[in-house]
Amino acid sequence: MTTHNAIFVLFCGGEITLTNEDYAPSSLQSEGYIHACTATQVEVVYQRFYANLDSVKVAVIDPRRVNAKLVFEAPSEPMDAHTGFPHIYGKLNLDAVVDIVDYQLFTHQEITPDILDVLAHYRFDRLPVEGTLYKSTWRADNELGDSTPVGTAMMGMYCSALKSVSCFHRLTHDEVWHFYQGDAFNLYLLYPDGTSQTIVMGTDFSKGQQIQCRIPAGVWQAGELAPGGQYALFGCTMAPGFTGDCFEAADHDALKQSYPEMAAVCNRLAINNHETKMPAGFAS
């Protein structure tokens, strides 16, 4: 059996990162291969081996980029699965790992080759606090008096299968959003006067979609794919540029009280673990 959709390896802590060397767990020595699974098998593997462990993560792997022999075959122990499990007969080269996601955020959806191609090309990081897939693409050398760059640019990816969204936050400077490719997505704006607005970013101009919009400083903002979408590529530009100090995440309970008509969106796009600030020194 062969597949071009993503396969997955579950692990704990920092056993796999996007920057370390090839992955060679103990099973490679003891059994001759690395245990992997498909999207429909992740839950079975988690419940069998990881349910009582902390900091469980899921490595997203593009099987087309795996250098070692990849075979789908029966597991070494009986498992409740309808098909064979992917076994990697050799070290896992880390350029085949295109994302790492916390198990609690894993959606158990198939990740298709077109999404894997984007992930492999851009090698996104995960934005602290929000968890959005992003990549910094420009930071001006010139700085203002407080060491803030005069401008910055980044690109990001919303992806339903990888639960990449923007959670509610506000910035101290204006931000310009750009639509690049993929499916339409919604930007939710909550203004200081208590009003709200939804802007649909995309290229269907007959439906009023936009390819660029400005979000004023101090406006609460969040974003996600429009229903039915799989992924979207976007960019954000700021002048003055982005630093961690200009970011403040919302307390979503307080936000719901101020914007009751947006309560469902606030619940869906709440900040993970109620964090409100970027880590010290981030993007500084």
Side-chain angles (χ1 to χ4, degrees), residues 189-256:
L189 309 184
L190 309 181
Y191 292 93
D193 65 0
T195 61
S196 62
Q197 181 184 16
T198 299
I199 296 175
V200 183
M201 301 290 287
T203 57
D204 191 340
F205 306 122
S206 67
K207 295 182 179 179
Q209 295 178 5
Q210 302 184 39
I211 59 171
Q212 185 183 92
C213 79
R214 178 184 67 90
I215 299 180
V219 173
W220 294 111
Q221 58 169 291
E224 64 179 347
L225 287 168
Q230 292 188 320
Y231 83 94
L233 288 175
F234 62 87
C236 295
T237 307
M238 294 181 65
F242 178 86
T243 64
D245 293 338
C246 78
F247 173 97
E248 179 190 3
D251 179 301
H252 78 284
D253 290 328
L255 212 60
K256 287 190 296 183

Side-chain angles (χ1 to χ4, degrees), residues 54-264:
D54 296 326
S55 302
V56 179
K57 299 181 182 296
V58 182
V60 182
I61 300 166
D62 185 342
R64 301 167 299 174
R65 301 176 189 275
V66 174
N67 292 335
K69 182 180 179 181
L70 176 62
V71 180
F72 283 75
E73 54 193 354
S76 55
E77 299 181 23
M79 298 283 285
D80 182 17
H82 300 295
T83 59
F85 281 76
H87 293 158
I88 302 170
Y89 280 83
K91 293 181 179 180
L92 174 60
N93 50 299
L94 267 298
D95 58 341
V97 180
V98 295
D99 189 31
I100 294 173
V101 60
D102 290 341
Y103 176 80
Q104 298 303 325
L105 299 179
F106 187 69
T107 65
H108 303 275
Q109 298 179 40
E110 295 286 355
I111 300 177
T112 55
D114 54 341
I115 294 176
L116 291 173
D117 286 341
V118 176
L119 293 169
H121 182 73
Y122 285 107
R123 309 295 296 180
F124 293 108
D125 295 313
R126 288 277 181 169
L127 191 65
V129 182
E130 295 186 80
T132 318
L133 291 164
Y134 88 104
K135 187 178 187 70
S136 176
T137 57
W138 172 65
R139 180 183 175 90
D141 293 331
N142 296 333
E143 296 182 341
L144 303 176
D146 60 355
S147 298
T148 298
V150 297
T152 56
M154 60 81 73
M155 64 179 301
M157 181 180 183
Y158 288 153
C159 182
S160 59
L162 294 171
K163 203 168 184 178
S164 178
V165 299
S166 292
C167 298
F168 274 106
H169 65 282
R170 61 185 176 186
L171 303 171
T172 56
H173 311 307
D174 290 3
E175 182 175 41
V176 179
W177 281 68
H178 316 266
F179 180 88
Y180 293 144
Q181 178 182 312
D183 301 309
F185 63 88
N186 296 330
L187 289 177
Y188 306 106
L189 309 184
L190 309 181
Y191 292 93
D193 65 0
T195 61
S196 62
Q197 181 184 16
T198 299
I199 296 175
V200 183
M201 301 290 287
T203 57
D204 191 340
F205 306 122
S206 67
K207 295 182 179 179
Q209 295 178 5
Q210 302 184 39
I211 59 171
Q212 185 183 92
C213 79
R214 178 184 67 90
I215 299 180
V219 173
W220 294 111
Q221 58 169 291
E224 64 179 347
L225 287 168
Q230 292 188 320
Y231 83 94
L233 288 175
F234 62 87
C236 295
T237 307
M238 294 181 65
F242 178 86
T243 64
D245 293 338
C246 78
F247 173 97
E248 179 190 3
D251 179 301
H252 78 284
D253 290 328
L255 212 60
K256 287 190 296 183
Q257 293 181 2
S258 300
Y259 304 90
E261 76 283 1
M262 298 293 287

